[in-house]
């Protein structure tokens, strides 16, 4: 059995039974409407003098700063409540430049309570030129994105931080472009930052297993005949599904080099037709099972659910890698443990990928490398048989 979703997330992040959709089916909560707010943030000279960082940083009072509404799609009463929430966070010194946070806020909107991502930032060019003397007068901004739940938005916090980097570039232009350039960018935050994984699931459907396999095995992927958004969506999905940051950096680098050298194993995705055509596609039982979990969740239309399934997919892969590494350590001194390694690889559904990962990690360890070599022979003989 593959892992279920964490307890406590039943409303926003419902799970279907892994592998086959058995059990009582529950529809996930939809994310509802999405909102945004952009404020100009100005600190007085007295408020700026204390600085922003460090244990002894000055905590501004309400007199130390002002918030000017630049753009929002919230009703007036809800916007006032959001501004009050942000002001309290600023007063507590809880907004750090370029680092987004997520909280749950209650507003006068139909959803009543929603997740809120908020971040304070400066224009990119001003950050580069900033000096202690100019900090007090340098224009700063606070942006808020609201939708879904706090737990749902937390899953996408890194994506939203990257989205802010793009917003900085837009704000490098003169402020008169707010209506023509910045406002559309703010309105599309949910589609651009939250929905790519959902769109990839809906586009690939039962071919998603090959994309999961490529992400886990660091197989190079080449996308052809795709529009810009689709190409970006696929790239973001692969990055989100990979084990980057969860396995040793050296292991990831070595795997990327090894897979890139095997050019004939590159996955080619041709998007010229309505359904993508895949060439040199790989898969295994592990990825097929998880693909089914994505397909089972597709009817709910909840992008947060897909991200949670993806995180669980990676968690299970890491658990399997750690189990195999433990078996290999035991097998260095115990032949029965070697047989346990073989059985584990045969039954886990992703033996092909796990062997590549541990082979790279144990390349400089003679005893473990010998165990891996024997396991490769066993698996090869089993495949032939």
């Amino acid at each position: 059995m593959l892992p279920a979703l964490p307890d406590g997330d039943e409303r926003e992040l419902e799970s279907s039974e892994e592998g086959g959709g058995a059990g009582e089916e529950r529809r996930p909560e939809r994310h509802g409407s999405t909102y945004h707010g952009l404020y100009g943030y100005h600190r007085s000279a007295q408020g700026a003098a204390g600085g922003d960082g460090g244990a002894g940083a000055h905590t501004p009072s309400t007199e130390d700063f002002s918030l000017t509404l630049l753009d929002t799609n919230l009703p007036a009463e809800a916007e006032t409540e959001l501004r009050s929430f942000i002001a309290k966070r600023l007063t507590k010194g809880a907004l750090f430049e370029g680092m987004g946070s997520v909280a749950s806020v209650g507003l006068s909107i139909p959803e009543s309570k929603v997740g809120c991502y908020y971040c304070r930032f400066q224009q990119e060019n001003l950050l580069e030129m900033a000096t202690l003397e100019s900090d007090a007068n340098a224009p700063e901004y606070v942006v808020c994105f609201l939708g879904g739940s706090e737990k749902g938005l937390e899953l996408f916090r890194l994506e939203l931080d990257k989205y802010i980097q793009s917003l900085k570039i837009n704000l490098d232009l003169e402020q008169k472009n707010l209506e023509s350039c910045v406002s559309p960018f703010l309105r599309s935050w949910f589609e651009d930052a939250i929905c790519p994984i959902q769109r990839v699931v809906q586009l690939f459907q039962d071919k998603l297993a090959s994309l999961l396999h490529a992400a886990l095995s660091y197989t190079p992927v080449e996308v052809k005949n795709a529009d810009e958004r689709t190409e970006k969506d696929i790239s973001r999905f692969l990055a989100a599904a990979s084990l980057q940051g969860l396995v040793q950096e050296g292991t990831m680098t070595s795997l990327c080099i090894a897979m890139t050298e095997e050019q004939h194993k590159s996955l080619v995705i041709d998007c010229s037709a309505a359904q993508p055509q895949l060439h040199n596609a790989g898969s295994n039982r592990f990825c097929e099972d998880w693909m089914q979990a994505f397909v089972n969740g597709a009817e709910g239309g909840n992008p947060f659910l897909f991200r949670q399934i993806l995180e669980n997919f990676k968690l299970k892969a890491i658990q399997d890698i750690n189990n195999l590494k433990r078996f290999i350590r035991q097998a260095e001194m115990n032949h029965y443990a070697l047989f346990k390694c073989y059985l584990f690889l045969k039954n886990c559904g992703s033996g092909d990928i796990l062997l590549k990962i541990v082979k790279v990690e144990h390349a400089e360890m003679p005893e473990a490398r010998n165990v891996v070599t024997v396991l490769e022979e066993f698996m090869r003989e089993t495949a032939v048989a």
Side-chain angles (χ1 to χ4, degrees):
M1 286 290 292
L2 303 178
L5 294 174
D7 292 337
D9 251 350
E10 290 89 349
R11 295 187 68 239
E12 179 64 35
L13 304 169
E14 290 285 2
S15 170
S16 56
E17 291 292 323
E18 307 293 358
E24 182 181 354
E25 184 177 347
R26 296 171 296 175
R27 293 187 65 82
E29 177 187 323
R30 295 183 179 274
H31 55 75
S33 301
T34 60
Y35 307 91
H36 68 269
L38 177 66
Y39 298 92
Y41 168 58
H42 179 74
R43 291 173 290 163
S44 68
Q46 176 185 0
D52 288 323
H58 172 73
T59 300
S61 69
T62 52
E63 289 77 22
D64 290 333
F65 65 87
S66 63
L67 287 173
T68 305
L69 178 65
L70 299 178
D71 192 89
T72 189
N73 62 343
L74 280 166
E77 184 178 357
E79 186 280 316
T80 301
E81 294 163 346
L82 176 63
R83 192 187 311 204
S84 174
F85 166 78
I86 294 300
K88 289 177 182 177
R89 294 293 168 128
L90 286 166
T91 302
K92 295 177 181 178
L95 271 78
F96 301 99
E97 207 286 327
M99 294 175 57
S101 301
V102 176
S104 184
V105 296
L107 302 175
S108 299
I109 52 177
E111 293 81 7
S112 180
K113 199 168 189 179
V114 293
C116 175
Y117 167 92
Y118 54 96
C119 182
R120 177 170 66 86
F121 65 95
Q122 281 185 312
Q123 293 181 22
E124 195 67 38
N125 58 345
L126 293 176
L127 270 177
E128 294 171 359
M129 299 184 297
T131 64
L132 290 174
E133 291 77 18
S134 64
D135 271 350
N137 297 316
E140 293 185 81
Y141 304 90
V142 176
V143 67
C144 302
F145 296 136
L146 302 101
S149 70
E150 178 181 356
K151 291 179 180 179
L153 282 189
E154 186 63 44
L155 293 169
F156 289 91
R157 190 171 54 80
L158 294 180
E159 282 86 348
L160 290 169
D161 283 346
K162 291 179 182 177
Y163 200 70
I164 297 302
Q165 297 302 316
S166 300
L167 181 57
K168 286 182 182 182
I169 295 171
N170 278 311
L171 281 171
D172 278 350
L173 307 174
E174 296 180 19
Q175 193 165 327
K176 64 184 181 182
N177 79 332
L178 185 68
E179 185 63 33
S180 62
C181 185
V182 177
S183 294
F185 191 86
L186 293 171
R187 288 194 295 269
S188 64
W189 72 269
F190 195 85
E191 284 294 316
D192 291 346
I194 307 297
C195 292
I197 293 173
Q198 180 182 33
R199 287 196 294 265
V200 168
V201 172
Q202 293 170 341
L203 178 64
F204 281 79
Q205 299 179 34
D206 59 352
K207 295 179 181 178
L208 192 71
S210 296
L211 212 57
L212 294 170
H213 189 270
L216 276 189
S217 60
Y218 301 92
T219 300
V221 175
E222 181 182 354
V223 181
K224 295 181 177 180
N225 304 313
D227 59 74
E228 184 180 358
R229 188 175 82 162
T230 299
E231 190 165 355
K232 283 184 178 179
D233 285 351
I234 294 172
S235 176
R236 289 174 180 173
F237 183 92
L238 290 167
S242 78
L243 300 182
Q244 185 172 3
L246 298 177
V247 297
Q248 298 176 19
E249 188 173 341
T251 298
M252 185 185 68
T253 303
S254 299
L255 277 169
C256 289
I257 293 172
M259 294 306 294
T260 302
E261 288 173 349
E262 298 181 34
Q263 288 297 328
H264 63 284
K265 290 195 174 180
S266 297
L267 172 62
V268 179
I269 302 173
D270 185 350
C271 296
S272 56
Q275 271 281 304
Q277 300 301 308
L278 276 54
H279 306 282
N280 302 327
S283 188
N284 57 31
R285 183 161 42 84
F286 180 81
C287 294
E288 294 284 345
D289 287 343
W290 281 97
M291 174 274 294
Q292 194 61 52
F294 281 101
V295 172
N296 288 347
E299 293 182 3
N302 186 342
F304 301 114
L305 171 63
F306 294 116
R307 184 51 184 267
Q308 184 65 71
I309 295 174
L310 200 57
E311 292 303 311
N312 289 348
F313 163 78
K314 295 194 293 183
L315 175 63
K316 185 62 171 69
I318 288 295
Q319 289 174 341
D320 286 350
I321 291 169
N322 291 336
N323 284 333
L324 179 58
K325 285 171 16 178
R326 187 176 75 252
F327 289 145
I328 288 174
R329 287 195 299 269
Q330 296 170 357
E332 292 175 17
M333 299 170 290
N334 185 316
H335 286 293
Y336 177 69
L338 179 62
F339 183 65
K340 284 174 63 179
C341 280
Y342 166 70
L343 288 179
F344 177 78
L345 285 170
K346 186 179 177 181
N347 295 323
C348 71
S350 59
D352 56 331
I353 295 175
L354 298 187
L355 263 181
K356 287 179 181 178
I357 293 174
V358 296
K359 184 178 182 179
V360 169
E361 286 198 0
H362 295 89
E364 305 300 324
M365 302 165 63
E367 294 85 357
R369 189 174 67 241
N370 291 337
V371 172
V372 172
T373 301
V374 172
L375 288 172
E376 283 184 313
E377 292 175 1
F378 280 168
M379 295 298 286
R380 198 177 300 119
E381 290 172 3
T382 303
V384 171

